């Protein structure tokens, strides 16, 4: 079902135009609370691995929650890294819920024991999302690391046995799993879970794996039709560039970066969206005077992102209204101009441009907090697989 | 963007909307003023909805203080616009953002 919008008086400005001008507070706020992770997925959007000594401490994190409550942010999407490895993780979750800020957290499942699942099942306003990137161990583990499929399935078993209710199974669609959509759906149905499919972006370590892993044009078309037939499958509105293929997919078809979406990273830096961890899209820090609210409402970057953007090379495309030129992060990290087609433009315009980006010309997300390859062992240095 | 936007459907059928009855904001719903009107979030269904006029937001907020939906509309909405507002409220009742008292 699409964003329900209740507009008694017509003609009103289009909702997307109103949203592009920005909101008083974000709708979709992602808060990555640690860069530490026991896995090392090859498409990790935040290049996570090691914790950062500058990460917000418990008191600072609670102060962020207080601010979100004051801004009436209804819920926050907590991720990482693997958020549950923070010793204060459930303390922060409880604190947030008690302040009226609902929590949805993403996890690789490694800490969701039977006992933990029972406790989660008892909490309202906490949603859990388990990530897998293949419908079988071979496909999944190639991306997320050996044993990670079994770990995730064990977590799902625990949640189902505990009667948690409809948790989410979150899948990044890749070239290797795009043929497994029916299997993912069956898996979710088997658990009474909700399937969530999202788009692979060339962000973080994804910059290195994107070219090989992003779905082919043919797969994109098949995905589009599959999604059109299943409006109940969640997508985080991430495939709106596919709306150029015909009828619009459900959801808000626009890039929400800095307008309705943003990211607070583990050290409190605020970025336009979780997929643009790069200095160019850093708007400020929750540690700055004025805190998060000031960054959201007054940072130069966010104000700039809310100004009407030119359609650039997409202007002559009849599908611009539906597709909006796609994802800013995908363009940025593949070296394409931001006011032009998405690298996965369904009309092939992005692909044509990609061929002309000189090797090494695309901005690099940098190594981030990846564990240096020669030291990479599992569990990681902040080992959390217990 | 977000899942709340791709809404979950409410569980089970809702009672038909009755504009002669008194309604109120569901206790699980929070309203946040925005330039276009308000955002409404349902903590139970995790559903988000955009109330796309300041007047609609006001009507929804004050529903409870009127004996009926129609009375609430008569009190603050220009006559010509009442049918549209009634439809808007019917859809909010259907998705359980408002409920009969
Ligand atoms: S940059 Fe891409 S991922 Fe980020 S909000 Fe825009 S469309 Fe979504
Ligand atoms: S040319 Fe631009 S607007 Fe048209 S489909 Fe491609 S990305 Fe979308």
């Amino acid at each position: 079902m699409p964003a329900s919008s209740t507009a008694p008086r017509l003609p009103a400005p289009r909702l997307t135009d109103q949203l592009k001008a920005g909101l008083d507070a974000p709708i979709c706020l992602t808060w990555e609370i640690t860069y530490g992770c026991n896995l090392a997925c090859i498409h990790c959007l935040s290049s996570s691995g090691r914790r950062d000594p500058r990460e917000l401490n418990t008191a600072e994190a609670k102060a962020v929650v207080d601010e979100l409550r004051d801004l009436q942010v209804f819920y926050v999407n907590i991720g990482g890294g693997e958020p549950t490895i923070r010793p204060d993780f459930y303390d922060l979750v409880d604190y947030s819920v008690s302040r009226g800020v609902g929590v949805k957290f993403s996890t690789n499942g490694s800490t969701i024991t039977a006992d933990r699942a029972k406790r989660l099942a008892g909490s309202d306003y906490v949603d859990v999302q388990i990530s897998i990137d293949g419908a079988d161990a071979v496909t999944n583990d190639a991306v997320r690391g050996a044993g990670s499929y079994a770990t995730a399935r064990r977590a799902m078993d625990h949640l189902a046995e505990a009667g948690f209710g409809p948790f989410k199974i979150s899948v990044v669609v890749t070239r290797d799993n795009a043929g497994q959509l029916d299997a993912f759906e069956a898996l979710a149905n088997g658990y009474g879970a909700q399937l969530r499919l999202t788009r692979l972006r060339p962000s973080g370590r994804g910059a290195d794996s994107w070219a090989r892993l992003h779905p082919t044009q043919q797969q994109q078309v098949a995905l589009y039709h599959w999604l059109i037939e299943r409006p109940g499958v969640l997508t985080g509105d991430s495939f709106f560039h596919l709306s150029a293929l015909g009828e619009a997919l459900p959801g808000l078809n626009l890039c929400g970066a800095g307008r309705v979406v943003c990211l607070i990273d583990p050290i409190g830096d605020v970025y336009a969206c979780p997929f643009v961890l790069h200095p160019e899209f850093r708007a400020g820090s929750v540690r700055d005077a004025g805190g998060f609210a000031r960054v959201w409402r007054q940072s130069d970057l966010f104000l700039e992102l809310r100004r009407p953007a030119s359609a650039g090379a997409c202007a002559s495309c009849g599908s611009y209204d539906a597709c909006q030129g796609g994802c800013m992060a995908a363009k940025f990290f593949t070296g394409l101009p931001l006011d032009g087609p998405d690298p996965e433009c369904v009309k092939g315009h992005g692909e044509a441009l990609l061929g002309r980006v000189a090797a090494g010309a695309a901005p690099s997300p940098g190594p981030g907090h990846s564990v240096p390859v020669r030291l990479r062992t599992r569990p990681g240095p902040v080992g959390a697989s217990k | 963007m977000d899942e709340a936007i791709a809404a979950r459907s409410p569980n089970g059928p809702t009672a038909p909307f009755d504009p002669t009855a008194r309604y109120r904001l569901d206790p699980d719903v929070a309203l946040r003023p925005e330039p276009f009107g308000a955002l409404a979030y349902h903590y139970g269904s995790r559903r988000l909805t955009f109330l796309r006029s300041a007047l609609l937001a006001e009507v929804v907020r004050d529903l409870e203080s009127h004996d009926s939906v129609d009375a609430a509309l008569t009190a603050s909405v220009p006559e010509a616009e009442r049918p549209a507002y009634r439809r808007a409220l019917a859809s909010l009742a259907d998705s359980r953002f408002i409920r009969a008292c």
Side-chain angles (χ1 to χ4, degrees), chain A residues 241 244 313-314 317-320 323-326 340-342 345-349:
Chain A
H241 70 297
C314 290
C317 171
S319 299
Y320 183 73
C323 146
Q324 304 274 321
D342 188 286
C345 163
V346 296
K347 312 217 160 154
H349 299 306

Side-chain angles (χ1 to χ4, degrees), chain A residues 32-332:
Chain A
E32 294 178 350
I33 59 170
T34 180
Y35 278 118
C37 191
N38 55 319
L39 300 185
C41 306
I42 61 172
H43 62 355
C44 178
L45 77 168
S46 56
S47 302
S48 285
R50 290 168 291 123
R51 287 200 68 171
D52 190 305
R54 299 165 297 170
E55 288 176 9
L56 299 178
N57 64 30
T58 307
E60 288 175 304
K62 287 184 175 174
V64 169
V65 172
D66 290 339
E67 220 194 330
L68 299 182
R69 176 208 50 203
D70 293 345
L71 288 171
Q72 273 199 285
V73 171
F74 303 121
Y75 62 93
V76 57
N77 303 296
I78 295 186
E82 170 54 41
T84 64
I85 68 169
R86 266 187 76 128
D88 58 359
F89 175 70
Y90 288 103
D91 183 20
L92 293 177
V93 169
D94 292 344
Y95 186 80
S96 187
V97 169
S98 75
R99 293 297 182 276
V101 182
V103 169
K104 177 174 87 187
F105 73 88
S106 283
T107 172
N108 58 37
S110 53
T111 68
I112 310 295
T113 57
D115 186 49
R116 175 51 69 188
K118 274 187 213 119
R119 283 156 69 186
L120 283 167
S123 55
D124 284 340
Y125 311 134
V126 178
D127 290 341
V128 181
Q129 182 168 294
I130 312 264
S131 305
I132 53 170
D133 292 318
D136 54 61
V138 174
T139 313
N140 176 82
D141 292 6
V143 170
R144 306 183 59 83
S148 59
Y149 182 79
T151 301
R153 289 295 301 269
R154 208 154 38 234
M156 294 177 201
D157 291 343
H158 292 323
L159 288 172
E161 276 157 30
F164 177 82
F167 60 89
K168 296 176 175 68
I169 298 178
S170 191
V171 176
V172 175
V173 179
T174 66
R175 195 166 297 185
D176 298 338
N177 68 25
Q180 302 179 328
L181 301 182
D182 290 336
F184 287 122
E185 186 179 42
L187 181 73
N189 289 344
Y191 281 118
Q194 276 184 300
L195 180 61
R196 177 175 193 262
L197 301 179
T198 59
R199 183 174 174 197
L200 175 72
R201 279 106 172 176
S203 312
R205 283 194 291 270
D208 299 326
S209 50
W210 183 83
R212 181 168 58 79
L213 278 183
H214 77 93
T216 63
Q217 284 288 6
Q218 231 181 343
Q219 288 175 326
Q220 290 208 99
V221 174
L223 171 65
Y224 167 78
H225 292 290
W226 197 88
L227 288 172
I228 283 282
E229 283 166 21
R230 293 168 182 79
V233 171
L234 307 172
T235 62
D237 287 2
S238 60
F239 296 108
F240 65 89
H241 70 297
L242 300 182
S243 291
L245 287 166
E247 182 196 340
L249 289 166
L252 292 178
N253 289 313
L254 79 145
C255 169
R259 298 158 161 172
V260 291
V261 174
C262 79
L263 168 78
I264 302 177
D265 93 337
I267 64 173
D269 284 350
V270 181
Y271 291 87
C273 119
F275 295 93
V276 287
L277 278 173
H278 185 280
E280 201 155 316
F281 295 99
R282 182 187 173 278
S285 166
V286 301
R287 284 169 166 151
D288 296 345
F292 173 76
R294 185 151 196 280
V295 177
W296 177 260
R297 291 178 178 161
Q298 292 173 35
S299 67
D300 294 341
L301 174 70
F302 285 2
L303 293 179
E304 177 62 36
L305 287 172
R306 292 166 197 167
R307 273 192 271 280
S310 112
C314 290
S316 57
C317 171
S319 299
Y320 183 73
D321 256 9
C323 146
Q324 304 274 321
C327 170
M328 181 179 77
K331 293 186 249 199
F332 181 75

Side-chain angles (χ1 to χ4, degrees), chain B residues 73-85:
Chain B
L73 294 177
T74 308
S76 49
V77 178
E79 195 171 350
E81 294 175 18
R82 281 179 210 152
Y85 274 73

Side-chain angles (χ1 to χ4, degrees), chain B residues 42-63:
Chain B
H42 196 299
Y43 280 93
S45 64
R46 316 280 208 264
R47 203 180 151 148
L48 190 70
T49 225
F50 300 89
L51 304 184
R52 295 187 52 203
S53 91
L55 183 54
L56 178 63
E58 205 181 299
V59 169
V60 166
R61 214 183 285 274
D62 290 344
L63 266 185

